[in-house]
Amino acid sequence: MKKNKWLASLSFILILTVVLTGCNFSGGNTNSPSTGTDTNDTNAAPPAAAQTLNVYVENEMKDLNQLSASDDISWTILNNVGEGLYRLDKDNNPVEALAQGVSISDDKLTYTFTLRDGLKWSNGTPITAADFKYAWLAEMNAETSKNGYAFIMTDYITGGEEYASGKGSADQVGIQAKDDKTLVVQLKKPTPYFLRLTTMSVFFPLNEEFVKSKGAGYGLDPQSVLYQGPFVLTKFDPASGATLEKNKDYWDAANVHLDSVNVRVIKEQSTALNAYKAGDLDRVLLSATDVDSNKDNAEFSQLINFRTTYLQFNLKADGVSNVNIRKALELAYDTSSLADNVLKNGAKGAVGMVPEMMSGDGEKTFRELQGDLFKVDAAQAKTYWEQGVKELGKTPKLTLLVADDSETRDVATFLQSEFKTNLGIDVAIDTKTVKARNELMDNSNYQFGITAWGADYDDAMTYLDLWSNHSPYRGNYESKQYDELIASAKSETDDKKRTDLLLQAEKLLVQTDVVTAPIYHRGVAQLIKPDVEGLIYHPYANPVEFKYVTKK
């Protein structure tokens, strides 16, 4: 995720390594539970058991205010007590939610959304197009938006950047509430993934009168929030957990089968695993050490997240400024071996920057269209290394900068060993706190480092436009060809041509210039109770859906 273009990615990832990464089960429907029986009828069937889901997260629940929430735990709660124009389905496609449809102009710049009839907030107030306009303008306004995600609107909506910077007025922003049910949005450029963006909690509506009535207290407790999603929040303690109950006023309440969801805060993985074994949790995340002993369990499964961990080379640094040195390093490690033998958590060895399953041309994924951009090749790696040393006139001394979490340290140790085995070189490892690592990279004070990026939306652009900003954190990459590919893709209205431009950009980034060397895509290993169906995990944006869950 972006947040001043990289910081949110980090917080997103560190927190979503947590636990609410659900499961892509496609659950069948069941009838809503009975509300009771006649106690005088001795032959009456007993009441249906309550449909309650029990899950957990590994960190505190920070925020209920969508204008300040930026972590995945908060987004999970907001996604299930709220809703936008569209919601992701079990296949990660946007489907109509509060909107009953959209009309898109031929030039793909004007979106006219029509809201459903009878939409209501949890206090009975009608939901209108004006609620979306108010919320979106508040997200762009530096005085009200504190989550770092204003860019997700200002990058796309006309007049947004000017309004956010104080150089334009709200009236000049391309958002118009024509009437209570009609919202018109004007985009700067064709954005094929715009409907996917509207599924994010930052695009949810807000009731202006209610928000202003709560003032600084908005979002601090269940009573200071209005709900328009499948559930309402009845209990909330940031340190211990939350309780969600079915929202009877939700427009699609008939298709919500859970009565309640209990979300506990459990920081120790061993404690969570014990709670799962005792039947107190319906799902648990496994550590790498627990995978081997559970992989034959029928309740075991693995998932991929749209998050890529990679080597970022500093193109201005000694040694790695040489492209042949970078190519040698990229071909000197086996990403599959890392995923299968070290991480063991469902991670997938990377063969490109863009993860598997990310959308491509509508028929094939981006990864299927591109294929593998590199794979381990010790002989070729040595050839590149020798050529690089010859061009530099010396053998460079290399230091790998890494953050101090256990997974990154394990990855760094693996890479160090691979470089020794396949290139015969000793690479030093410099371990810093996340903050210190970021500062060194921001100041261009590194050779190469391990970092990561999590997708904001299901499109390759969420990765590839990062290296058009020429920042030290992105390796000081300067390429007119790359910039032109990205700029052309952003303005291209033909989807096939646009995809081809992005394929060229990834190849230039990873294979030709080797600005980055992808390592792996985040994985999740889990156990989930067999009576739970329809717990859907999205590999980007709002991560987990409780709406479709049924307990057998």
Side-chain angles (χ1 to χ4, degrees):
M1 307 294 291
K2 294 182 179 176
K3 183 178 182 180
N4 74 18
K5 300 294 181 181
W6 60 262
L7 185 55
S9 171
L10 182 62
S11 72
F12 176 94
I13 286 146
L14 292 178
I15 297 171
L16 181 55
T17 323
V18 279
V19 131
L20 269 180
T21 27
C23 177
N24 231 353
F25 292 99
S26 54
N29 292 334
T30 63
N31 294 327
S32 298
S34 169
T35 56
T37 58
D38 185 348
T39 56
N40 293 320
D41 183 359
T42 57
N43 295 317
Q51 291 267 312
T52 299
L53 181 71
N54 296 297
V55 292
Y56 77 109
V57 294
E58 287 182 330
N59 284 290
E60 287 83 0
M61 301 177 179
K62 295 182 178 179
D63 214 327
L64 299 179
N65 183 350
Q66 70 189 55
L67 296 176
S68 53
S70 62
D71 66 276
D72 235 55
I73 294 174
S74 300
W75 280 14
T76 290
I77 300 298
L78 290 171
N79 181 53
N80 286 285
V81 300
E83 187 164 83
L85 297 165
Y86 279 70
R87 179 178 285 272
L88 294 177
D89 66 9
K90 65 182 180 66
D91 297 315
N92 304 314
N93 294 316
V95 294
E96 293 90 347
L98 298 185
Q100 64 181 12
V102 63
S103 174
I104 304 174
S105 62
D106 291 340
D107 63 5
K108 302 181 181 180
L109 295 178
T110 304
Y111 285 63
T112 303
F113 297 94
T114 302
L115 302 188
R116 296 180 182 276
D117 292 329
L119 296 175
K120 292 190 296 184
W121 291 101
S122 53
N123 67 351
T125 303
I127 299 172
T128 69
D131 294 330
F132 284 93
K133 181 175 181 177
Y134 168 71
W136 293 13
L137 288 174
E139 180 61 50
M140 298 180 196
N141 190 328
E143 294 183 1
T144 52
S145 178
K146 305 301 179 184
N147 56 22
Y149 277 86
F151 78 91
I152 208 72
M153 294 183 184
T154 60
D155 281 1
Y156 305 103
I157 299 174
T158 59
E161 285 184 288
E162 293 80 2
Y163 174 65
S165 65
K167 297 178 181 178
S169 68
D171 293 339
Q172 296 171 315
V173 180
I175 307 171
Q176 180 184 4
K178 289 187 66 175
D179 55 47
D180 285 350
K181 289 186 57 182
T182 308
L183 181 72
V184 181
V185 183
Q186 188 73 30
L187 303 185
K188 303 178 195 178
K189 53 202 172 190
T191 307
Y193 46 86
F194 186 69
L195 292 183
R196 296 181 186 276
L197 294 182
T198 69
T199 69
M200 298 174 67
S201 60
V202 294
F203 281 86
F204 290 1
L206 290 170
N207 182 278
E208 181 175 6
E209 180 180 355
F210 182 86
V211 172
K212 289 184 175 179
S213 73
K214 295 298 180 180
Y218 178 77
L220 295 183
D221 54 60
Q223 292 71 42
S224 64
V225 181
L226 286 184
Y227 308 102
Q228 79 281 18
F231 300 92
V232 299
L233 202 58
T234 56
K235 295 180 181 178
F236 178 75
D237 184 327
S240 62
T243 299
L244 288 67
E245 295 185 1
K246 181 175 178 178
N247 182 2
K248 61 181 179 58
D249 292 322
Y250 178 55
W251 70 270
D252 198 28
N255 290 311
V256 178
H257 302 289
L258 286 177
D259 296 302
S260 60
V261 181
N262 295 318
V263 184
R264 297 167 57 186
V265 176
I266 304 177
K267 295 186 177 183
E268 296 297 326
Q269 193 276 338
S270 59
T271 303
L273 183 57
N274 288 334
Y276 178 86
K277 291 177 177 179
D280 297 330
L281 291 175
D282 290 311
R283 180 192 174 274
V284 66
L285 185 70
L286 295 175
S287 66
T289 56
D290 291 322
V291 169
D292 287 341
S293 60
N294 285 280
K295 62 185 179 182
D296 294 329
N297 190 329
E299 298 172 7
F300 176 82
S301 61
Q302 294 176 313
L303 305 166
I304 289 291
N305 181 261
F306 283 1
R307 183 217 186 211
T308 302
T309 296
Y310 57 93
L311 291 174
Q312 176 63 67
F313 295 105
N314 180 2
L315 275 58
K316 292 185 177 181
D318 182 55
V320 294
S321 60
N322 181 278
V323 68
N324 286 311
I325 295 296
R326 300 197 300 272
K327 287 182 177 180
L329 293 168
E330 182 177 54
L331 298 182
Y333 57 88
D334 187 340
T335 65
S336 295
S337 178
L338 169 69
D340 296 342
N341 301 318
V342 178
L343 299 176
K344 298 182 181 182
N345 59 2
K348 181 75 173 179
V351 295
M353 181 59 62
V354 178
E356 292 186 5
M357 301 188 300
M358 183 160 270
S359 296
D361 64 358
E363 295 182 1
K364 293 183 178 180
T365 67
F366 190 90
R367 196 74 274 132
E368 288 171 336
L369 292 169
Q370 183 75 282
D372 297 359
L373 290 180
F374 71 99
K375 62 180 179 181
V376 62
D377 187 332
Q380 185 62 56
K382 288 180 181 177
T383 299
Y384 280 130
W385 181 262
E386 291 168 0
Q387 181 63 30
V389 169
K390 181 179 179 181
E391 291 167 353
L392 290 170
K394 62 178 181 180
T395 299
K397 294 183 178 180
L398 301 180
T399 298
L400 177 63
L401 177 65
V402 303
D404 62 354
D405 62 278
S406 59
E407 182 169 289
T408 303
R409 290 196 301 269
D410 290 343
V411 172
T413 301
F414 172 84
L415 292 175
Q416 184 183 53
S417 175
E418 290 283 275
F419 294 146
K420 181 66 173 179
T421 300
N422 294 325
L423 290 176
I425 63 172
D426 294 310
V427 174
I429 297 174
D430 183 13
T431 305
K432 302 291 188 185
T433 65
V434 171
K435 181 179 179 181
R437 185 209 60 176
N438 290 343
E439 289 176 350
L440 289 170
M441 293 182 70
D442 277 337
N443 293 319
S444 200
N445 191 11
Y446 71 107
Q447 284 180 298
F448 67 137
I450 296 177
T451 187
W453 186 257
D456 289 311
Y457 46 87
D458 184 13
D459 188 89
M461 186 64 80
T462 192
Y463 290 93
L464 300 179
D465 71 345
L466 301 176
W467 285 271
S468 60
N469 69 10
H470 312 147
S471 71
Y473 197 89
R474 304 297 171 201
N476 296 296
Y477 184 43
E478 297 277 354
S479 169
K480 182 179 179 181
Q481 181 184 1
Y482 189 84
D483 291 350
E484 288 176 349
L485 287 169
I486 296 301
S488 297
K490 287 182 176 180
S491 61
E492 181 57 64
T493 59
D494 183 290
D495 290 345
K496 185 178 184 303
K497 292 179 180 178
R498 176 183 179 277
T499 299
D500 183 62
L501 291 166
L502 293 175
L503 290 167
Q504 292 179 57
E506 188 195 34
K507 185 174 290 187
L508 184 62
L509 182 77
V510 173
Q511 188 179 76
T512 305
D513 292 342
V514 195
V515 182
T516 70
I519 306 172
Y520 67 98
H521 307 299
R522 179 175 291 284
V524 175
Q526 64 178 6
L527 297 176
I528 187 166
K529 296 296 184 182
D531 64 338
V532 176
E533 293 185 344
L535 182 58
I536 295 172
Y537 160 70
H538 301 303
Y540 66 96
N542 301 324
V544 185
E545 298 281 358
F546 301 144
K547 173 180 177 178
Y548 308 109
V549 174
T550 300
K551 296 193 72 175
K552 294 184 292 185

